[in-house]
Amino acid sequence: MTFSIKNICCIGAGYVGGPTMAVIANKCPHLKIEVVDLNEERIKNWNNSDLSKLPIYEPGLSEIIKNCRNKNLFFSNAIQEKIENADMVFISVNTPTKTKGFGAGKASDLKWVEACARQVAKYSRGHTIVVEKSTLPVRTAEVIKSILLGSNQSSNEENSSKNTFEVLSNPEFLSEGTAIKDLNEPDRVLIGGEKEEAMEALSSIYQNWVPEEKIIKTNIWSSELAKLTSNAFLAQRISSINSISAICEATGADIREVTRAIGSDTRIGSKFLDSGPGFGGSCFKKDILNLVYLSSYFGLEEVANFWESVVELNNWHQHRISKLIVQKLFGTVRGKKIFILGFAFKSNTNDTRESAAINICKDLLEEGAVLYIHDPKVKPDQIASDIGIEKSKKNIKADNKIYTKERSWYYTQDFLEGADGADAIVILTEWEEYRLLDWSKISRKLRKPAWIFDSRSIISKEAVRNLNLNFWRIGDGLN
Ligand code: UDX
Ligand code: ADP
């Protein structure tokens, strides 16, 4: 017998919950989907009639929201009511790395997940399938299950013992910037669980658009571990190729040629081999650190060290780029203007979590540089919070530029203003519009001798040849 789902509630309207529920609503008009969040501002923006004000930027998302919102997709803060009415509850809340206490710096902070499980235990009615969607350490499903079952036993309410729960793990593999495409055409959907009936209920939702052979069912721990392992493998490829970029620069090899040569081996493959400023995003570092914590917990120190080195290499690589910028600018950037192109952790997103730009900009500010920062989607307030300068009325001028005495940086949307009098341009995000810039026009604005540092390999040597510019590209040994 299949448990039929009609009402879905998703707790958490963020980068995972928002796009995932939008795609399910779009593909399954027969389902009613309620996305709830504690954050009133976020919900207000999801309901904004001006679609450019949606809280997250993701190509293709606003079209789906326009299509489904207030038809079968709703956003609200009515957490209790929507949980009560749901047959299936997705947990899509954030799980940042703990900053204090046991496992600080490595283990994920599960307080939001725990709070959600308690809310579900308190408000749900009848049989509820709880789906963990957030990126979580292995064995989190067990935590959720214990809270749901424990609360049932301890509750005094007359009917509570009739409430039943099934917990599934359904990790998210969407990649920001291509989330809608990834959700529409997933490589696979992974469902971990214990009871076939609940797994089938979730599988039947995906089967509205995903071929059955792409839906992989496993036990709950395999599903959780597979998610961490996928991200760890992808991140490991990036640290591997970034380590080779440093060797290229030292030896005269070219990372693009090395990548092409190794990527054409079908056993290796060509994806996720682009050397850049180091990986960012909310998942890679966190998931690897979870793996490190888990390995240490089970006494597997060698395994823990192996995975930790992937994160260490990433940190080293980011600081390596800041250092070489300083070194090329005659060993000092104090008082020099540097124009930063791109602050998001990758293109096509407004997300800056763990962006390489954060470390690199902080390093340059620390060295006394004056930064002008451009990003097509990231807002100046976000940059201010990331680089540690509190946003206050005092340091925001009417023209939206931000300046403080100790450190200084400006937000700009004007390429010529950013380049005017600058000693260097540093490309940190691979936005398409940066590929199309008129370098001869920009070059005329720079203070000579000037440098272009391209950490994303988005401009060719030809594009800047004969422009009286010094040009550095990641992994280019002939720099
Ligand atoms: C990742 C996983 O890809 C996704 O499956 C998971 O669900 C969440 O984590 P995301 O962090 O959104 O997705 O972006 P991703 O495309 O994986 O990029 C992560 C980082 O690696 C970015 O900073 C990106 O610029 C960098 N990267 C990616 C490289 O430096 N080189 C590459 O070849 C690919
Ligand atoms: P992710 O990338 O995992 O989606 P985000 O931080 O973008 O992470 O989104 C997580 C959302 O979950 C936030 O909007 C946050 O307000 C919300 N949230 C966290 N805890 C709860 C909770 N107990 N109830 C409802 N919403 C929550």
Side-chain angles (χ1 to χ4, degrees), residues 135 172-178 188 227 230-231 234 238 241-242 271-284 287 345-347 430 456:
T135 299
E172 190 47 75
F173 292 108
L174 67 81
S175 176
E176 287 174 31
T178 52
R188 75 318 207 173
K227 165 72 185 190
S230 287
N231 278 345
L234 292 170
I238 300 170
I241 204 69
N242 284 340
K271 293 184 182 158
F272 266 75
L273 275 188
D274 291 332
S275 183
F279 60 76
S282 70
C283 286
F284 281 0
D287 285 357
F345 80 97
K346 62 187 280 196
S347 61
E430 72 284 21
R456 293 283 189 174

Side-chain angles (χ1 to χ4, degrees), residues 225-240 271-272 284 287-288 291 306-307 310:
L225 186 58
K227 165 72 185 190
L228 294 191
T229 310
S230 287
N231 278 345
F233 266 57
L234 292 170
Q236 172 273 120
R237 280 173 76 92
I238 300 170
S239 275
S240 298
K271 293 184 182 158
F272 266 75
F284 281 0
D287 285 357
I288 293 177
L291 213 48
F306 172 73
W307 286 111
V310 172

Side-chain angles (χ1 to χ4, degrees), residues 12-15 37 39-47 55-56:
Y15 283 91
D37 202 295
N39 185 327
E40 289 181 10
E41 182 67 20
R42 220 170 208 190
I43 292 297
K44 212 169 87 199
N45 286 331
W46 278 112
N47 285 322
I56 68 175

Side-chain angles (χ1 to χ4, degrees), residues 72-311:
N72 68 331
L73 177 66
F74 303 86
F75 295 91
S76 76
N77 300 111
I79 300 177
Q80 172 173 349
E81 179 196 328
K82 305 307 175 190
I83 292 177
E84 273 173 8
N85 296 333
D87 314 306
M88 185 176 268
V89 176
F90 285 81
I91 298 186
S92 286
V93 299
N94 39 335
T95 51
T97 304
K98 278 179 87 170
T99 52
K100 285 196 269 191
F102 299 120
K106 293 211 176 71
S108 275
D109 195 334
L110 293 181
K111 71 178 178 204
W112 289 277
V113 171
E114 188 181 326
C116 278
R118 289 187 193 281
Q119 284 168 319
V120 176
K122 196 162 163 200
Y123 303 131
S124 65
R125 298 282 169 263
H127 186 60
T128 309
I129 298 176
V130 179
V131 183
E132 54 157 336
K133 195 88 194 136
S134 316
T135 299
L136 297 163
V138 178
R139 301 200 88 96
T140 306
E142 198 164 72
V143 173
I144 298 175
K145 223 165 74 184
S146 322
I147 292 170
L148 295 174
L149 299 178
S151 74
N152 230 356
Q153 282 155 10
S154 64
S155 173
N156 297 325
E157 280 181 43
E158 228 173 76
N159 277 339
S160 67
S161 59
K162 290 197 185 134
N163 290 342
T164 50
F165 303 98
E166 195 61 46
V167 180
L168 299 177
S169 155
N170 175 219
E172 190 47 75
F173 292 108
L174 67 81
S175 176
E176 287 174 31
T178 52
I180 302 301
K181 186 175 172 295
D182 297 342
L183 287 160
N184 279 334
E185 302 155 34
D187 287 343
R188 75 318 207 173
V189 167
L190 187 52
I191 300 177
E194 285 167 346
K195 298 234 172 76
E196 186 56 33
E197 193 195 31
M199 291 162 84
E200 201 37 52
L202 181 56
S203 172
S204 67
I205 294 176
Y206 284 109
Q207 279 176 48
N208 283 292
W209 77 97
V210 180
E212 203 174 344
E213 62 276 14
K214 288 196 172 181
I215 301 178
I216 301 172
K217 293 179 189 153
T218 66
N219 81 34
I220 209 153
W221 322 128
S222 302
S223 165
E224 290 180 319
L225 186 58
K227 165 72 185 190
L228 294 191
T229 310
S230 287
N231 278 345
F233 266 57
L234 292 170
Q236 172 273 120
R237 280 173 76 92
I238 300 170
S239 275
S240 298
I241 204 69
N242 284 340
S243 76
I244 302 299
S245 75
I247 303 186
C248 286
E249 288 165 33
T251 57
D254 183 330
I255 195 66
R256 285 148 293 272
E257 292 180 352
V258 174
T259 298
R260 199 166 69 239
I262 64 166
S264 55
D265 182 329
T266 51
R267 294 169 303 175
I268 297 174
S270 60
K271 293 184 182 158
F272 266 75
L273 275 188
D274 291 332
S275 183
F279 60 76
S282 70
C283 286
F284 281 0
K285 185 171 162 194
K286 185 180 72 179
D287 285 357
I288 293 177
L289 293 178
N290 270 323
L291 213 48
V292 171
Y293 184 70
L294 192 76
S295 310
S296 292
Y297 180 82
F298 289 108
L300 303 167
E301 282 314 319
E302 286 74 10
V303 180
N305 294 341
F306 172 73
W307 286 111
E308 192 159 18
S309 72
V310 172
V311 175

